[in-house]
Amino acid sequence: MFLHGFNAWRNGEIVVRHKGKEPFTAMAEGPFPFSFATEVWGWMTIGAAFALLGVVGIVKFLISTPTQRQAALTRLDGVTLRDSRGEKIPWWAAIAVIGGVVAFFIYLAFRVHTS
């Protein structure tokens, strides 16, 4: 969703589709600039909110206690963790992986923006 709005912002135009009406093209420097701004920023805001909620959910899951993690997994789909797993994953390793993924997407965003 975010990339849909971002690409439209970079191109300067977006096709607006309203239920029951004919689609039209809104442009930043042409017809319907207000529709362009609301569509583009709306898509980017919704996409960023979903991405942020996903990251927050993952971080919250990783920093919770083992009992809370077990309850969350059980609540999701009846999935249970094996108690016999001998090795524990350190929290810093999980944070490093999440940080690497976030850094990779930030790098891609800057790369797309500057090209």
Side-chain angles (χ1 to χ4, degrees), residues 1-14 35-53 109 112-113:
M1 289 180 176
F2 177 82
L3 287 178
H4 176 66
F6 183 71
N7 287 333
W9 179 59
R10 287 185 61 210
N11 293 334
E13 65 182 23
I14 190 169
S35 294
F36 171 81
T38 56
E39 284 285 318
V40 167
W41 287 106
W43 282 112
M44 290 195 317
T45 303
I46 291 168
F50 278 125
L52 182 63
L53 284 174
V112 167
H113 183 67

Side-chain angles (χ1 to χ4, degrees), residues 2 5-6 24 28 30 40-41 62 67 69 76 87 89 92 108 112 114:
F2 177 82
F6 183 71
F24 63 94
V40 167
W41 287 106
L62 289 174
T67 307
R69 275 183 265 169
L76 284 175
E87 56 196 75
I89 299 174
W92 57 266
L108 283 180
V112 167
T114 58

Side-chain angles (χ1 to χ4, degrees), residues 24-102:
F24 63 94
T25 302
M27 298 181 183
E29 299 294 329
F32 312 109
F34 182 73
S35 294
F36 171 81
T38 56
E39 284 285 318
V40 167
W41 287 106
W43 282 112
M44 290 195 317
T45 303
I46 291 168
F50 278 125
L52 182 63
L53 284 174
V55 170
V56 167
I58 290 171
V59 169
K60 181 181 173 189
F61 178 78
L62 289 174
I63 62 173
S64 61
T65 65
T67 307
Q68 290 172 330
R69 275 183 265 169
Q70 179 73 32
L73 289 175
T74 304
R75 217 176 27 248
L76 284 175
D77 197 13
V79 178
T80 58
L81 291 173
R82 289 185 284 157
D83 292 331
S84 62
R85 186 170 64 187
E87 56 196 75
K88 302 284 183 188
I89 299 174
W91 64 270
W92 57 266
I95 298 297
V97 169
I98 291 172
V101 170
V102 170

